[in-house]
Structures are given as C-alpha cells and as structure tokens.
Amino acid sequence: MVLQVPAFRRFISVANTQIRRYSAPGEGSIPPAKQKYVPTSGTYPKGFLAASAHAGVKPSNTKFDDLALIASETPCSGAAVFTKNKFQAAPVTVTRDMLKRRGGSGIRAVVVNSGCANAVTGKGGIEDAVRMGEETDKCFEDESSQSDGNGSRTVVMSTGVIGQRLPLKRIIHKIPVAYSGLGSTHQHWLSAARAICTTDTFPKLLSRSFALPSAPDATYSLVGMTKGAGMIHPNMATLLGILCTDAPIAPSALQALLSAAIDKSFNSISIDGDTSTNDTVALLANGAAGGPLIASASSPGYVEMQQTLTAFAVDLAKLVVRDGEGATKFVTIRVTNAASYADAKKVASTIARSPLVKTALYGKDANWGRILCATGYAEGVDSVVPAETSVSFVPTDGSAELKLLVRGEPEKVDEARAAEILEAEDLEILVRLSERGGEEAIYWTCDFSHEYVTINGDYRT
C-alpha cells in the first residue's frame, strides 16, 4: 500500500527546508553570535561627520536606511583603490576620474547607496553616478566648496544588484536629508555603516586612536566602515570600504599608504572567490588634529602611519570574512617558507577559494588532501616542493598544532583531536612549503555552508 501525503503537508515540508537562517537587512535583527563585533562606542577623527537616510532604493526596503553620507568639515586629501574587474561599475569609473582630475585634493564627501550596484548600466549609469556626486556637492555652501574648475568633490559608491538602473530621483531627494542629519556621535557613524549593508548581517565599523613620533603632542584617530558578505575575493582591490583620519597627509602619500595597506588586508581575504564590479576602498585625511604634513615616504611619521593604517585595515577586512554569507567558520591560512611573498600569497589565495576545502571545513572534516591539492595547483608558483611540504591545523586556544602532513609524508591523524579543533569557530591552516625558511603570507577566508546557496539562489529576486 502506498501512502499518499496530503498536498498541504508536502508544501509545509518543502517550506520548512527553505527557511532562511541568516539575517540580512530588512529581514531581522543582528544575530546574537555577531553582536560582539558591533561597537557600542568609538573614538572618531576630528572634522569628519556621518549620516544616513532612507531612500527606498529597493522597493522591498520600506524602513531601513540605504543611503550613507560621510563628510569632512574642510576640503581634504582623498585616495582610493578599485576593482580590477573589466566590467567596472559606473561609480568606480566616476570616482577614479574625479580623484585623478583633482589630484586627490579638495575632497569633501563620500556618498553611498545600497540596494543597487549601478553596474553594467551603460552611459545612463555613468550619468547617474555623476549626478549623485553633483547633488552632494551642492550641499556644501561654504567658499571652499565653490567650483575651482576641477568638477565634483565627492566620492561616489554603490552596492547591490548588478544590471539595474538606480532609482535616481529617490536618491537625489534624500541626499539633502542625509546632509542635514550629519553628526559626529557614535550613533551617526553606526547608522551610516548599517546603511551601506546588503546581505551583511551586522554593520562593520571600527575606530581607534594612535600617535605619531613626528607629532608627540597630537592624538590622531582612524575610523573605518566596510560592507561585504558575498562576491568577495578583492583584486584591486560588492565590497566597499571608507576610512577617515584626522592626520595630516598629502594626496600622493595617502595613495601610497592606502595601496600598501590594501595588499595585506582587503586584498588578502576571500569568501567565495568572486571579484565584484564595484569593489572600492577610499581613504580621506583632513589634518584636523594638526601636526607636520606627511608629504612622502621620506617624511617623519610615514613608516608609523603605514604600520597603523595596515593593522587597522587588516582588522576591518577580517570583519568582512566573519560575516561571510552563510559562514560558520573564520579561517586563517598561513603559508610559510616560500621563495617569495608572491608565491606564498598565491598558494594561500588558492586554498582560500577552493570549494572543496571550504565545504570540508563546514563539514568539520580534516580532509587535508584538499588543502594539499589546492597548494599543488596554485598557478605560477615555483616554491612548492612536495617532498618538503607540511600541513597542520593550528588551534586558536594556544594548544599544540595538529600535524597532518610532514615533509610530504602523511601523519596518522588523531580524528578526535581534529574534530575538536574543527568544532571551534576560529581555525588556522598552516602550510610550510619547505624546510629552508623564506617568505610568509596570510589570507583570511570562511567555509561554504548550505546557507550560502540559499542566500545567493534568490539574491536578485
């Protein structure tokens, strides 16, 4: 006898398997496990203000702010790094041209919308991005913002669905609203960080104070916000980042500082191996805290500024990985003893984007063969010596590493110990390419879960 399952019961069964277990903007609060990454206070740079507003870029978003504005009270230096994807979004093109035209000086603001990437939108998309910048410029009425013949002073960013035009009228209407709400409190900055989110489950905001030996009496601050949870494998650099500091830095030095910091931060993370059309990380410096100008790499304070900025960018980039779509693990991949830093980074990057490695991590399976396989097919790497390669899991609790492969010879794996290590949220994979010493590179990634497919299977609709 064949039992017939009533249609409504079959529907309920299917529906239950499709319940979303992530918390994207507009669909729920910040997951309890992610609350610890959201700051409750901050130390923000002098002379910078933040705000957000609700434009309703996506019709389904009826209440969450989706427009952010960051402004400097005075014209400042600006620099940015961009995606190398050949299909570059309109705001990428417009912002790059603006910074080049202005030589990175006289910048006043960053305007960002979420919900629509304004990517692959043709000439109309370029016009829309230009208009966003122009409308933001109009909000600044002091003499320093009057036209100097170099055009807009605003960095423009967009994130969201590709291939759709912006609802420009809604955005233009709300830019003055955001401007009127500019402020310097923690809540202003946190609201702006929230407004740039798409499938992110929490706003990513960091701030800290620092000192420079070139200005012993000054205290400087850095603030940074970023968004990104999927389509993350930056190659610059839908990842966006905005950093601001009140340290005095000239445009040329600012660009060099940012580019170097990005290489070991935002260019060393991967969630799914996809490089977006919109990736942009911008850095603004207004000098409001005083001190001697950092004009070049030979200026006093340059080295310390580089160290501070790089460490800050690393911490900010890690938040992106911790919010990977559907991710359950934060994985550090450390490749050592390579002939060059480039070789080490290529191997780490290859492991980080391997679906087989990432699914094994999700399944808590100590399948080191997948790690070794990815190491072996890393393109353009001469440092891999099979007879000298070692692979280990390194726990984050300070206990001894679990050796899986030693100098090309497999170890007898303690499966109970491996399961214990893989149960933790944080994990390090250590790959030694030789026994001779050499260069090291670090990459940060996450696992692939069922939820990643769920999120991206219906992202557009």
Side-chain angles (χ1 to χ4, degrees):
M1 180 183 217
V2 178
L3 295 176
Q4 298 294 322
V5 180
F8 77 91
R9 289 182 61 187
R10 291 200 305 272
F11 172 78
I12 291 173
S13 177
V14 172
N16 284 339
T17 64
Q18 295 180 343
I19 293 175
R20 293 182 180 220
R21 305 196 185 282
Y22 64 97
S23 177
E27 298 185 14
S29 58
I30 298 170
K34 303 295 179 70
Q35 287 282 359
K36 60 187 175 184
Y37 301 119
V38 182
T40 57
S41 62
T43 303
Y44 299 105
K46 300 178 179 66
F48 280 105
L49 306 170
S52 64
H54 174 250
V57 175
K58 292 181 73 171
S60 60
N61 177 14
T62 60
K63 59 181 180 179
F64 291 93
D65 286 358
D66 51 6
L67 183 69
L69 181 63
I70 309 300
S72 175
E73 293 180 330
T74 57
C76 66
S77 299
V81 288
F82 304 96
T83 180
K84 291 183 180 178
N85 191 307
K86 291 182 174 61
F87 288 95
Q88 297 188 348
V92 169
T93 299
V94 169
T95 295
R96 178 190 286 111
D97 290 348
M98 183 274 293
L99 289 171
K100 182 178 180 180
R101 185 173 60 249
R102 301 200 63 85
S105 63
I107 310 303
R108 288 304 298 267
V110 181
V111 64
V112 192
N113 77 271
S114 61
C116 178
N118 190 12
V120 198
T121 46
K123 294 180 179 179
I126 295 291
E127 293 170 356
D128 290 346
V130 169
R131 183 79 183 280
M132 282 180 64
E134 291 176 344
E135 292 299 318
T136 304
D137 293 335
K138 292 178 182 178
C139 295
F140 299 90
E141 298 178 348
D142 55 273
E143 292 183 5
S144 62
S145 289
Q146 299 303 310
S147 176
D148 59 1
N150 290 318
S152 179
R153 298 174 182 268
T154 299
V155 171
V156 179
M157 299 182 184
S158 296
T159 183
V161 178
I162 294 171
Q164 297 180 0
R165 289 285 297 275
L166 291 172
L168 191 62
K169 289 184 178 179
R170 296 180 198 170
I171 294 173
I172 295 305
H173 179 65
K174 288 303 177 76
I175 287 176
V177 175
Y179 178 81
S180 66
L182 284 170
S184 58
T185 70
H186 172 68
Q187 190 56 49
H188 283 95
W189 285 99
L190 189 62
S191 295
R194 174 70 177 178
I196 67 176
C197 292
T198 51
T199 59
D200 308 62
T201 65
F202 67 93
K204 301 165 187 64
L205 177 70
L206 287 179
S207 64
R208 67 183 50 156
S209 298
F210 63 97
L212 294 173
S214 54
D217 297 327
T219 298
Y220 299 110
S221 296
L222 256 172
V223 63
M225 65 179 68
T226 186
K227 64 81 49 186
M231 196 178 279
I232 304 295
H233 188 80
N235 183 23
M236 344 202 205
T238 26
L239 177 149
L240 301 179
I242 305 161
L243 291 77
C244 302
T245 181
D246 49 17
I249 310 173
S252 58
L254 195 69
Q255 185 64 60
L257 287 165
L258 178 62
S259 296
I262 290 301
D263 186 54
K264 294 190 175 182
S265 58
F266 286 97
N267 267 355
S268 292
I269 62 173
S270 183
I271 288 175
D272 48 24
D274 275 318
T275 298
S276 173
T277 55
N278 289 57
D279 290 342
T280 303
V281 176
L283 172 63
L284 306 183
N286 63 10
L293 181 69
I294 298 176
S296 69
S298 60
S299 297
Y302 182 94
V303 172
E304 291 79 9
M305 187 69 227
Q306 183 70 82
Q307 294 169 344
T308 298
L309 180 63
T310 299
F312 184 79
V314 164
D315 289 343
L316 195 59
K318 284 181 179 180
L319 292 178
V320 175
V321 178
R322 290 199 178 277
D323 200 23
E325 290 174 341
T328 68
K329 296 192 180 303
F330 177 86
V331 185
T332 299
I333 299 173
R334 187 184 305 271
V335 177
T336 67
N337 298 352
S340 67
Y341 172 74
D343 273 9
K345 189 171 182 181
K346 285 178 182 177
V347 171
S349 172
T350 303
I351 297 170
R353 65 176 185 270
S354 166
L356 290 179
V357 171
K358 295 159 83 68
T359 50
L361 291 169
Y362 174 64
K364 303 172 185 177
D365 180 7
N367 195 337
W368 57 266
R370 295 181 176 182
I371 300 169
L372 196 66
C373 182
T375 300
Y377 68 66
E379 295 183 0
V381 176
D382 299 322
S383 298
V384 179
V385 182
E388 296 185 16
T389 300
S390 299
V391 177
S392 298
F393 285 157
V394 181
T396 56
D397 61 4
S399 58
E401 67 183 88
L402 177 63
K403 296 180 180 181
L404 307 171
L405 182 78
V406 177
R407 293 187 293 278
E409 295 291 334
E411 295 286 288
K412 184 177 180 180
V413 178
D414 182 341
E415 295 293 346
R417 175 65 174 143
E420 182 181 300
I421 293 172
L422 289 168
E423 191 67 36
E425 179 182 346
D426 287 23
L427 165 73
E428 178 178 317
I429 295 173
L430 173 61
V431 179
R432 298 180 179 92
L433 296 184
S434 74
E435 296 297 316
R436 300 183 302 276
E439 298 295 323
E440 173 181 298
I442 301 174
Y443 232 82
W444 296 278
T445 191
C446 58
D447 56 345
F448 264 164
S449 71
H450 300 290
E451 291 301 319
Y452 179 83
V453 178
T454 300
I455 294 168
N456 285 284
D458 62 359
Y459 174 69
R460 189 175 68 87
T461 54

